[in-house]
Amino acid sequence: MRRHIDSELGAARGPEWIARPERSNTNLIRFMVWFALTLGRPAARILLYPTAFYFLAFSSLARKASTGFLRRALGREPVISDAFRHFHSFSATLLDRVFLLNDQYDRFDVRIHGAEIIEKMTSRGEGCFLLGAHLGSFEIVRSLARAARGPQVSMVMYEGNASKVTSVLNAINPKLSLDIIALGKPDSMLR
């Protein structure tokens, strides 16, 4: 059973998505950031529909990965609208990062559950690991900590497969790139 899961997820040959070339254009990403910050979140969300459609129509690898994930998550064969919503949700999370990196928390209705656990740990001088899996915005955790002048939050992630997006997002708030621990580098574990 484990071997079947590994081969289904690509673990037997290594994580393919890390080496996959990024499907984006730096100038287009910059335009979308400018558009979002100039015209606001509701207007920018309109651009997510053609973006999601583009990846659905023209990225067979992304569509296959999405369909595989959705098949396991939904417990049924996903239909095309499921994959479209999956791409749209992923795009919306990236768009939200633009506003969060720009300290525009007031655009979001955030409800925190279990904050008392983190508060107790930080009051004792302890740290912790919070794990995320693209099921929402990991940026919101870091943003909330900054807004509340709370504990430092560093994110551990692979950056190499999205260098164009990362470079544009880092330009929004350059000091925050220091809070990212890039995996796959010699000092990753020490940091």
Side-chain angles (χ1 to χ4, degrees), residues 42-54:
R45 286 184 61 87
I46 293 169
L47 295 179
L48 300 182
Y49 292 96
T51 302
F53 177 76
Y54 169 81

Side-chain angles (χ1 to χ4, degrees), residues 2-145:
R2 174 71 186 166
R3 186 170 176 75
H4 171 72
I5 291 171
D6 284 349
S7 64
E8 185 177 303
L9 297 176
R13 64 182 182 281
E16 174 272 330
W17 58 269
I18 292 173
R20 187 183 315 153
E22 186 176 6
R23 290 185 67 112
S24 60
N25 175 297
T26 304
N27 290 329
L28 182 59
I29 298 167
R30 283 188 184 123
F31 168 76
M32 291 181 77
V33 167
W34 171 84
F35 188 91
L37 293 175
T38 303
L39 299 177
R41 190 169 179 246
R45 286 184 61 87
I46 293 169
L47 295 179
L48 300 182
Y49 292 96
T51 302
F53 177 76
Y54 169 81
F55 280 94
L56 184 65
F58 299 110
S59 181
S60 60
L61 287 174
R63 189 174 55 251
K64 182 179 176 182
S66 173
T67 302
F69 166 78
L70 290 170
R71 186 177 296 116
R72 290 184 301 278
L74 299 173
R76 62 172 171 78
E77 193 60 32
V79 295
I80 197 82
S81 60
D82 294 323
F84 180 84
R85 280 192 304 274
H86 190 210
F87 286 120
H88 186 273
S89 177
F90 188 82
S91 300
T93 300
L94 284 173
L95 175 64
D96 289 348
R97 284 188 74 190
V98 169
F99 299 105
L100 293 167
L101 288 168
N102 209 30
D103 295 333
Q104 296 183 20
Y105 318 109
D106 57 332
R107 296 181 181 271
F108 302 92
D109 177 18
V110 178
R111 297 168 194 173
I112 301 170
H113 304 278
E116 66 280 355
I117 298 168
I118 303 295
E119 290 166 4
K120 284 180 188 175
M121 293 180 76
T122 55
S123 70
R124 295 188 306 250
E126 299 174 350
C128 66
F129 284 99
L130 302 174
L131 303 176
H134 286 295
L135 298 175
S137 177
F138 52 81
E139 190 67 55
I140 197 75
V141 174
R142 183 166 70 164
S143 297
L144 291 171

Side-chain angles (χ1 to χ4, degrees), residues 149-170:
R149 306 250 189 276
Q152 177 184 348
V153 175
S154 297
M155 294 187 295
V156 179
M157 66 173 68
Y158 287 102
E159 291 184 301
N161 66 316
S163 59
K164 294 173 188 173
V165 170
T166 300
S167 69
V168 173
L169 292 178
N170 284 347

